[in-house]
Amino acid sequence: MNSLYDEIRVALHSVWTRRWLVLAVAWGICILGWLAIASIPNRYDSRARLLVDVNEILPDEAQVGGGRAQIDQIRETLTSARNMEKVAATTGLLPAGASERDRANAVAMLQKNIKVVPQQDNIFEITSSIAVGSLSDADNAKLASGVLDSLITVFRDDQLRGGRMNAREGLKFLDAQIADREKALREVEARRAAFEAQNIGLVPGGAGSPAQRVEAARAELGQIDSQLVAAQAQLAAANGQLASTPATIPGVGGVGGGVARQQLAGAQNELSAMRSRGLTDAHPDVIALKSQIASLKAQADREGTGGSGGVQNPAYASLAAMRAERQATVSALSARKSQLTSDIARITAQQIQNPGIAAEYDRINGEYTALKAQYDKLLAQREQVRLRGEVQTETDAIRIELLDPPSKPTSPAAPNRPLFLTLVLLAGIGGGIGVAFGLSQVRTSYATAARLERASGLPVIGSITEVLTPERQVDRRKKLVWLAGGGAALVGLYALLLVAEFIQRGMVA
């Protein structure tokens, strides 16, 4: 413990003997450090909060991502080079007639010192940090808030004007695309008509390609097969019920003798009217009516030979009418099935006999179908863009609201001069002490007899203390006063710099 105490005393003594070196080094470090701090311009920060809301009155199907994509685009273009150049020009950072290099430097400086931080999906915090060395603190503080004011104004004007311009440009682009598709559709229609005219009898008429018509016919044929099976089952049930039901029942003769003949006459009149309209015997309605006429003729014959001892059974007549109706249904379905079968066979035969023609016709129809789908889609998109453009003309497509206006900075955000001044003072004092201590280690001296004895390995008989004369004491006191004055002057300069810093901040406020 005593040895440690002795070492501390020796270190302090070595520093004290070089006290003037300590003061000189401290002054040098402090002067250089304080000059470096003074050369750093004060940085002033201004903050604002902005709400950007997309007015989605109409769904924007033509734009991928919708409103969220538009908000992302706003976030990216808020600090674009074009906006930064406008801000630099309006705030005076970019004088008139500036060179391209000056413009690029001003834009790069603003993009570096303006930060956009999204707080929510459509709320942004914008911060501008300005530290221009050629400007005063008051001008830098004013410029920090002025940059944000100008940026928000430029952004609002660009967005409101850009929405309407984008709608007009979109309509112009879609009109050109629609005109191109319409021209292509007309060319394909003309080619298809010419191809059909050149291959009459080989290319069947109707909408769609031969393969599509065959597929549609097969699908319809499958439905008709199931319907025909059901209709035949219903007809068989009606025949069974009719066979087990008597045609007449006992009663007074002559009451219902002319019912079947009257129905037969009405059916024949209806058949004549159908033929006068141009319907042939192959028509499903004509086939069904002829079947009903045959049934009514049989009933009329039975009425003429059945004697006068009974009347017609109403249930039998109802079942007969039901059977006739179901027979007509079966006949119509059978005729349609035959027609579909013949159409499929005819189209298939044409494709087998003329595969090149069928393939070319399929290709033309496929090209027409694709162009028609694109044309219809472009028409729908054009209508959406037109409606959106009308909405943007009547209302603001993007609502921009300033939640917090740009703040007016009253004190610099950086650098922290009081802290830096203090650190430089401590560094100067510490540096002076360190230099004195290091020099004492290089130039070895022995402050005590014990250190000399340990270093030499020889016994030290004694030591002679310093004898101070009155003149020597006066000179020493004078030098101590000068040393204290030098240290006090260093601390006073530090205090003066602190006071000047706070006064300068007060002048900005």
Side-chain angles (χ1 to χ4, degrees):
M1 189 68 180
N2 291 331
S3 61
L4 179 60
Y5 177 70
D6 291 339
E7 292 294 333
I8 294 175
R9 287 179 57 202
V10 169
L12 293 176
H13 180 267
S14 62
V15 171
W16 176 252
T17 56
R18 296 171 176 83
R19 52 190 175 273
W20 289 104
L21 179 62
V22 173
L23 183 61
V25 172
W27 268 95
I29 293 177
C30 289
I31 293 298
L32 293 177
W34 290 338
L35 287 176
I37 293 174
S39 64
I40 301 175
N42 286 329
R43 192 195 75 196
Y44 290 87
D45 293 349
S46 179
R47 289 179 175 81
R49 291 174 68 238
L50 195 65
L51 171 66
V52 181
D53 191 13
V54 178
N55 187 4
E56 293 187 351
I57 297 178
L58 292 175
D60 192 0
E61 296 179 355
Q63 180 179 0
V64 180
R68 181 56 183 268
Q70 195 167 4
I71 289 178
D72 293 338
Q73 182 181 4
I74 290 170
R75 182 184 304 174
E76 294 174 358
T77 58
L78 187 61
T79 56
S80 62
R82 185 169 59 90
N83 287 349
M84 293 298 98
E85 186 172 349
K86 291 181 180 179
V87 171
T90 55
T91 55
L93 287 174
L94 196 61
S99 62
E100 291 296 330
R101 182 176 181 181
D102 293 337
R103 292 176 182 273
N105 291 336
V107 169
M109 187 271 290
L110 288 177
Q111 287 181 334
K112 179 181 178 182
N113 295 326
I114 294 179
K115 305 297 181 183
V116 180
V117 179
Q119 294 184 337
Q120 297 178 8
D121 288 342
N122 55 350
I123 296 179
F124 305 96
E125 183 184 46
I126 311 174
T127 305
S128 66
S129 301
I130 302 299
V132 180
S134 60
L135 299 178
S136 64
D137 289 345
D139 292 338
N140 278 327
K142 183 178 179 181
L143 184 60
S145 60
V147 165
L148 288 188
D149 284 330
S150 178
L151 176 62
I152 293 171
T153 301
V154 169
F155 175 68
R156 182 186 286 114
D157 293 343
D158 285 350
Q159 290 300 322
L160 296 181
R161 183 172 59 254
R164 297 179 177 90
M165 291 181 63
N166 290 337
R168 289 195 295 269
E169 292 176 359
L171 282 177
K172 184 177 179 181
F173 173 76
L174 288 175
D175 287 339
Q177 293 295 317
I178 289 172
D180 292 342
R181 296 300 187 280
E182 187 175 0
K183 181 180 179 181
L185 274 176
R186 290 177 179 175
E187 292 177 355
V188 173
E189 287 177 349
R191 290 208 317 269
R192 185 171 66 176
F195 189 82
E196 290 176 351
Q198 293 175 0
N199 299 276
I200 297 176
L202 299 178
V203 177
S209 64
Q212 292 175 344
R213 288 197 296 274
V214 168
E215 187 66 25
R218 286 174 178 172
E220 185 180 356
L221 184 60
Q223 296 177 356
I224 288 178
D225 284 337
S226 60
Q227 294 175 3
L228 183 59
V229 171
Q232 289 174 346
Q234 293 175 356
L235 178 60
N239 288 331
Q241 292 177 356
L242 188 64
S244 61
T245 302
T248 59
I249 57 176
V252 180
V255 176
V259 175
R261 290 184 174 85
Q262 292 176 359
Q263 294 178 352
L264 178 61
Q268 290 174 345
N269 291 333
E270 185 178 357
L271 179 60
S272 299
M274 287 183 178
R275 287 175 174 171
S276 65
R277 292 200 305 269
L279 299 181
T280 63
D281 292 339
H283 195 276
D285 293 340
V286 175
I287 294 174
L289 188 58
K290 290 175 69 176
S291 176
Q292 185 178 2
I293 289 173
S295 176
L296 290 174
K297 283 182 178 180
Q299 293 180 16
D301 293 341
R302 285 195 296 271
E303 286 180 356
T305 59
S308 60
V311 297
Q312 183 180 10
N313 189 356
Y316 184 86
S318 177
L319 289 174
M322 183 184 301
R323 184 186 66 175
E325 180 181 356
R326 293 179 178 177
Q327 283 178 344
T329 302
V330 171
S331 299
L333 291 175
S334 299
R336 182 58 181 164
K337 179 179 179 180
S338 300
Q339 181 181 357
L340 289 173
T341 303
S342 63
D343 289 344
I344 292 173
R346 177 171 53 84
I347 295 173
T348 304
Q350 290 175 353
Q351 289 180 325
I352 294 174
Q353 294 174 1
N354 302 280
I357 294 177
E360 179 65 16
Y361 193 65
D362 285 343
R363 189 190 65 79
I364 295 175
N365 276 310
E367 184 178 353
Y368 176 83
T369 302
L371 287 174
K372 187 65 168 62
Q374 295 176 6
Y375 180 77
D376 294 339
K377 184 178 180 181
L378 286 173
L379 284 179
Q381 290 181 356
R382 186 190 183 283
E383 184 66 16
Q384 287 288 338
V385 173
R386 184 186 66 80
L387 293 176
R388 182 168 292 277
E390 292 180 357
V391 170
Q392 291 174 346
T393 302
E394 300 296 332
T395 61
D396 292 338
I398 297 178
R399 182 171 63 92
I400 301 175
E401 182 178 350
L402 192 60
L403 300 180
D404 295 332
S407 60
K408 308 293 184 182
T410 58
S411 60
N416 191 347
R417 294 186 188 276
L419 177 61
F420 287 172
L421 292 173
T422 304
L423 292 177
V424 168
L425 177 62
L426 296 177
I429 296 174
I433 294 174
V435 169
F437 181 76
L439 189 60
S440 67
Q441 299 300 314
V442 174
R443 297 179 179 178
T444 307
S445 61
Y446 303 99
T448 62
R451 288 177 62 89
L452 178 59
E453 185 176 350
R454 287 198 303 270
S456 63
L458 299 174
V460 177
I461 299 175
S463 61
I464 302 173
T465 59
E466 182 181 7
V467 178
L468 296 176
T469 63
E471 294 81 4
R472 183 86 175 181
Q473 291 179 354
V474 170
D475 183 63
R476 179 170 290 187
R477 291 193 190 96
K478 186 185 296 185
K479 290 182 179 180
L480 287 176
V481 171
W482 291 348
L483 181 65
L490 183 62
V491 176
L493 180 59
Y494 161 75
L496 183 62
L497 292 175
L498 286 180
V499 172
E501 174 65 20
F502 286 112
I503 291 176
Q504 188 177 18
R505 291 189 180 189
M507 292 175 64
V508 174

